[in-house]
Amino acid sequence: MEAPRNIINITDLSTEEIDELIGVAQDIMANPADYQDICHGKQLATLFFEPSTRTRLSFESAMLSLGGATLGFSEAQSSSASKGESVSDTIRVVGNYVDIIAMRHPKEGAPIAAAMKTVVPIINAGDGGHFHPTQTLTDLLTIKRQKGTLEGLTIGLCGDLKFGRTVHSLVAAMLRYKGVKFVLISPDELKMPDYVKEEMDEAGAPWKEVAHMEDVMPELDILYMTRIQKERFFNEEDYLRLKGTFILNRAKLKTAKEDMIILHPLPRVDEISVDVDDDPRAMYFTQALCGKYIRMALILKLLGIRKEA
Amino acid sequence: MNIDGVNNGIVIDHIEAGKGIRIYEQLQLNKLDCSVAIIQNVASEKYGKKDIIKVDQDIPLDFDVLGYMDPHITVNHVKDGKLASKVHLELPETLTNVIRCKNPRCITSVEQEIKHIFKLVDREKKIYRCAYCDVEHKEY
């Protein structure tokens, strides 16, 4: 199959392609030396029209670890966007210099507009509340690496399920795999949107909603935590009252399976107590490491570069 | 009610009753020099009532715009007083620069010179989504 030119949404990849990316990422993890110069002479631009230090560094580290070079900017203020230049013009210019572009922009659909103006592959590194496909790929690699499979898993999604794009995208991706069940743990104000529940129903994936994570903890293979943001609530009282219910601490983990894994897209604020960090089930920092490797695999795929047999 | 027939031009038929004037405005028919007639509330076997627009000049038409405004429209091209061709419109798969996205978070709200593109996702319910942000466009 011909490589897709851009990755704007996780749906731009077939299940076979996702599995292939996970396979390459695992091979890179196992044999980093085989890949250390594979992108020699290639350049990645990281165009971050809004700051996201972790995602940008992950892309840059990925390209540097492949022997390539990086250039770019970390916020709109340090680019011509601050002078009023359009995304299209910026991309037309940068497209002359580099082989691949990772871009983040606060406006939804910005990478689609960018992709119309260049033949250089575009990776969406987040466009507002819209898509963030490399986060989803990161989650999938972490799950595959830790659980050995993407099938037959019970996934608890906890926190802001209404606005959290990472959980919507993760659900859409996991629905491609057999035997996956979902447990939705959120306050009434931040419940999973109906269209996501409909997707689960259409795929025949069982799901249920609960108000407390303790009720379901023993069932879970994965607990995916997300941040509850204050601005989602009408008043501070509600926020403070509900926030505590959706904080994971060591005590709540008592009934969890020994091999359950805890994921979080980060940044964490206080929804996971620091006393959980040392628990062997806490995988959110490993997840960040996986993010680098899956981005390496994605860069290779989009540049059409393969390890020599 | 007698209205002269068209000799060389177009007849936009089967317009939903009440939409004729909007289509007249959209096509900017007021700027033409030739005879133009809007006939409203004409009896129709199929729809009960319909509007018709007759233009005595063969003008270029954007079928995407017309099809989006009313997919039931039929466009008849008349040459030397005879029907030369008949086009049945339908909802276009893609709309470019016909409608604009109302989502303030969409890139189209800030990017100059960008094409405003919508994709048809449900023909029956006439649902279009912005090609950039995926937000549904509310009915015309």
Side-chain angles (χ1 to χ4, degrees):
Chain A
M1 185 188 240
E2 197 184 330
R5 197 167 61 87
N6 309 295
I7 302 299
I8 308 295
N9 185 1
I10 193 73
T11 53
D12 293 333
L13 294 164
S14 67
T15 307
E16 293 72 28
E17 286 171 320
I18 290 175
D19 293 342
E20 178 198 327
L21 284 171
I22 291 172
V24 172
Q26 287 181 308
D27 190 53
I28 298 170
M29 290 170 115
N31 308 291
D34 292 352
Y35 293 87
Q36 63 188 7
D37 290 315
I38 203 167
C39 281
H40 181 73
K42 300 287 183 189
Q43 295 185 28
L44 162 80
T46 51
L47 309 185
F48 276 55
F49 294 86
E50 73 173 358
S52 174
T53 311
R54 188 180 19 264
T55 305
R56 183 173 56 82
L57 292 181
S58 175
F59 270 108
E60 293 183 356
S61 174
M63 191 52 162
L64 294 171
S65 299
L66 292 167
T70 69
L71 63 158
F73 51 84
S74 57
E75 55 181 340
Q77 278 69 29
S78 53
S79 80
S80 290
S82 63
K83 299 174 193 161
E85 187 180 53
S86 65
V87 171
S88 301
D89 283 4
T90 303
I91 293 295
R92 274 180 167 164
V93 172
V94 177
N96 291 319
Y97 306 149
V98 299
D99 303 285
I100 185 165
I101 294 171
M103 73 174 276
R104 189 184 189 100
H105 197 284
K107 291 291 182 186
E108 297 170 12
I112 297 173
M116 289 173 177
K117 299 295 179 187
T118 181
V119 294
V120 171
I122 301 269
I123 302 173
N124 181 7
D127 58 336
H130 199 210
F131 301 133
H132 192 4
T134 57
Q135 178 65 52
T136 308
L137 288 171
T138 297
D139 298 342
L140 296 178
L141 172 60
T142 314
I143 294 169
K144 179 69 189 257
R145 190 163 173 259
Q146 298 302 324
K147 306 301 294 182
T149 179
L150 292 167
E151 294 181 353
L153 299 167
T154 300
I155 306 171
L157 302 164
C158 180
D160 179 358
L161 306 187
K162 185 175 181 183
F163 299 100
R165 65 180 172 189
T166 51
V167 289
H168 303 163
S169 187
L170 180 62
V171 169
M174 288 304 295
L175 286 176
R176 300 172 182 219
Y177 298 94
K178 282 180 206 159
V180 176
K181 296 179 192 167
F182 296 95
V183 181
L184 314 175
I185 312 156
S186 69
D188 278 346
E189 292 85 342
L190 298 173
K191 277 188 173 175
M192 188 69 94
D194 287 342
Y195 81 89
V196 181
K197 292 176 188 170
E198 284 161 17
E199 283 172 9
M200 294 190 276
D201 286 337
E202 278 167 25
W207 59 271
K208 63 178 176 182
E209 281 179 321
V210 298
H212 297 95
M213 65 175 96
E214 295 92 315
D215 300 344
V216 290
M217 199 62 93
E219 302 169 31
L220 305 179
D221 298 306
I222 297 160
L223 175 58
Y224 197 101
M225 298 292 297
T226 61
R227 185 155 54 99
I228 290 185
Q229 294 176 51
K230 205 175 182 175
E231 57 268 29
R232 305 291 188 210
F233 289 86
F234 291 116
N235 60 63
E236 186 148 355
E237 225 171 74
D238 280 353
Y239 167 69
L240 291 172
R241 179 173 51 82
L242 287 164
K243 187 178 79 155
T245 315
F246 300 93
I247 288 177
L248 177 66
N249 55 33
R250 204 145 196 160
K252 289 181 186 171
L253 278 174
K254 269 184 189 160
T255 57
K257 288 181 189 170
E258 287 286 308
D259 63 348
M260 184 188 82
I261 59 170
I262 306 159
L263 302 179
H264 189 300
L266 302 179
R268 162 204 30 195
V269 182
D270 53 8
E271 58 278 8
I272 301 179
S273 304
V274 288
D275 67 3
V276 176
D277 293 359
D278 294 332
D279 190 292
R281 290 166 288 196
M283 285 296 151
Y284 27 95
F285 293 112
T286 303
Q287 201 177 347
L289 178 70
C290 288
K292 171 185 164 173
Y293 288 105
I294 200 75
R295 287 178 177 103
M296 290 170 81
L298 188 59
I299 289 168
L300 289 178
K301 180 172 180 61
L302 294 185
L303 290 177
I305 297 173
R306 284 172 181 273
K307 183 173 89 165
E308 279 178 31
Chain B
M1 188 178 191
N2 293 325
I3 306 239
D4 286 345
V6 168
N7 279 325
N8 285 293
I10 51 171
V11 176
I12 306 173
D13 200 358
H14 300 114
I15 302 170
E16 187 185 323
K19 275 192 179 170
I21 194 75
R22 268 155 61 185
I23 288 171
Y24 175 89
E25 286 165 358
Q26 177 70 35
L27 299 177
Q28 300 189 321
L29 300 180
N30 59 323
K31 292 186 178 167
L32 295 178
D33 234 2
C34 62
S35 302
V36 177
I38 309 178
I39 316 164
Q40 293 183 302
N41 299 324
V42 179
S44 162
E45 272 181 34
K46 211 170 176 183
Y47 303 112
K49 277 196 283 186
K50 65 178 180 178
D51 291 356
I52 302 172
I53 296 176
K54 296 186 176 187
V55 182
D56 204 12
Q57 186 180 318
D58 200 358
I59 56 166
L61 291 176
D62 186 333
F63 288 161
D64 284 355
V65 175
L66 277 180
Y68 174 69
M69 291 180 79
D70 186 345
H72 304 297
I73 284 175
T74 313
V75 177
N76 302 304
H77 284 267
V78 181
K79 205 171 176 188
D80 299 327
K82 289 180 183 166
L83 181 65
S85 69
K86 192 185 259 265
V87 181
H88 295 281
L89 298 191
E90 57 178 13
L91 285 176
E93 286 292 329
T94 304
L95 286 173
T96 303
N97 292 334
V98 177
I99 47 177
R100 294 178 76 97
C101 184
K102 292 172 185 160
N103 173 11
R105 299 178 305 278
C106 180
I107 184 66
T108 57
S109 68
V110 291
E111 185 86 347
Q112 290 175 16
E113 310 286 322
I114 197 169
K115 283 183 182 167
H116 294 261
I117 305 170
F118 283 78
K119 302 278 184 193
L120 181 63
V121 292
D122 189 327
R123 186 171 290 278
E124 220 164 88
K125 294 180 183 160
K126 197 183 174 183
I127 296 174
Y128 281 89
R129 287 189 188 278
C130 174
Y132 300 91
C133 70
D134 297 303
V135 166
E136 184 182 326
H137 186 79
K138 295 298 171 191
E139 189 57 23
Y140 180 80

